[in-house]
Amino acid sequence: MNPKGPKAVLCPFAGFEPQSSGMMAALNLIFVHVLLITASANMNQMDLNALLSIKNALTEVSAFKPFFSTWNLTAADPCSSFSGVTCFLHRVSILSLGTDSVQLAGSLPESISSLTELTQLILSPGIVTGPIPPQLGQLTKLRVISLPSNRLTGTIPSTLSSLRNLHTVDLSHNELTGSLPPTLTQLPQLKILILASNSLTATLPTTVSSPLLHLDLKDNQLTGPLPFSLPSSLRYLSLSHNLMWGPLPNGFQTLTHLVFLDLSINRFSGPIPPQLFSLPALSNIFLQRNNFSGGLRPGPNSNSNSNSKFGPGSIVDLSHNALSGELSGVLEGVETLLLNNNRFLGRVPEVYVKSVCSGTTTTLYLQHNYLTGIPLQDGTVLPDTASLCFSYNCMVPPPTITITCPATAGADTARPQSQCSVFNHRS
């Protein structure tokens, strides 16, 4: 052996012990770099860096089954092995963070904006805090933003209004404040907008031109009137539990696809537009606890003697308003009909009683009005499923009729005669 010959080079990964911590750090960096090169062969390097940044910004609340356990640098193909990641042509197209059983905490980093091919951003319910990154406005291919039931704060970024491909936005059950960006409801492809259960204020945008199917803004602090014009595509509209006021516009006749309407627990006033009762698809109407007044008038295309558009599952709640006058048969056939706590007078239409006796209407609440009669014969037997209440009116119920009232109706079966005389005289 030649003592002056070349020395054998020992492989650092085969038992070689480096002589300094600096050399060890350098070797670790090389190792990480090699792994990144391997992973990026199946995923864009920019996307991989963004995912690792997201992993550092979020943490699992429950470690029973860590969500990020598959997000490691040893993965040969992050596109197929990273939980919640879907790729198209080596780019992240769908990012779904967390699961129903694994909640995440932390905050959403700005680095999400590097995922420029992202079409869906989904965050499962958890305790993620902080603002929604305005940099999301750079992700021009986004179609779905779903971040419900977390603790996100701040305002809804106005930059979202630049995402022309948005189809669905769900930011419900967070702690968002401020107003609704006025141009958000003008996006050309937006079909679903759910911002319920936040602390949004101010009025609704005057123009709602997006082809919305589902608009849910309930349980906020919105004020002002209902927009004069709503998209004719709407099927679901909920503005319940806000601070909105004013009369309802007369543009409801264009909402021919509307199935569900909830404007309850606001400060709306004036008459209920009769067009509501003639919309062909509308079977669930919640207008309770407002200041509506006037009578119930049939719409221009309604037959007050036979309104068959209502049926199984239909609910109309007009309770706790200031509605008055004699009842019309416009709501015949509604399965659950709540007209209590108003100022209705006169006799109950026979069509309502027949609907209860036939089992079509299972709940009819008329209590706390000024009604003077109901066409029920003594000895009439109601179906076991029927819940009929007409206590505290200006009539005495037939003694053999079993009435089923909620506890809130009180124990009095009829109003004092003095109230009935004064009210009917004024009417």
Side-chain angles (χ1 to χ4, degrees), residues 143-208:
R143 288 182 51 78
V144 174
I145 300 176
S146 181
L147 315 173
S149 301
N150 278 276
R151 299 179 184 176
L152 299 172
T153 57
T155 60
I156 299 173
S158 59
T159 54
L160 299 187
S161 299
S162 63
L163 300 177
R164 307 284 291 177
N165 293 309
L166 269 184
H167 176 282
T168 299
V169 176
D170 184 356
L171 307 177
S172 60
H173 296 273
N174 279 288
E175 300 173 9
L176 300 173
T177 56
S179 60
L180 182 64
T183 52
L184 187 62
T185 54
Q186 299 177 28
L187 291 174
Q189 298 189 44
L190 188 62
K191 299 292 183 67
I192 299 174
L193 181 58
I194 306 175
L195 306 175
S197 300
N198 281 286
S199 297
L200 301 176
T201 56
T203 61
L204 293 182
T206 55
T207 301
V208 182

Side-chain angles (χ1 to χ4, degrees), residues 275-338:
Q275 297 94 332
L276 276 183
F277 305 127
S278 60
L279 291 177
L282 186 58
S283 59
N284 291 269
I285 305 173
F286 299 90
L287 303 180
Q288 70 269 23
R289 297 187 183 275
N290 279 283
N291 297 312
F292 290 116
S293 59
L296 297 183
R297 296 175 294 155
N301 299 319
S302 298
N303 182 350
S304 60
N305 295 320
S306 179
N307 193 344
S308 59
K309 82 183 193 69
F310 297 107
S314 57
I315 304 174
V316 176
D317 190 348
L318 309 181
S319 64
H320 296 273
N321 279 289
L323 299 170
S324 60
E326 294 190 359
L327 286 173
S328 71
V330 68
L331 298 174
E332 176 191 355
V334 175
E335 183 173 305
T336 300
L337 180 57
L338 310 178

Side-chain angles (χ1 to χ4, degrees), residues 5-40:
K7 296 182 179 180
V9 178
L10 297 177
C11 174
F13 302 109
F16 175 70
E17 297 182 2
Q19 300 300 313
S20 68
S21 59
M23 183 179 294
M24 175 62 81
L27 291 172
N28 284 336
L29 288 175
I30 293 173
F31 181 59
V32 169
H33 183 66
V34 170
L35 291 174
L36 284 173
I37 292 175
T38 302
S40 63

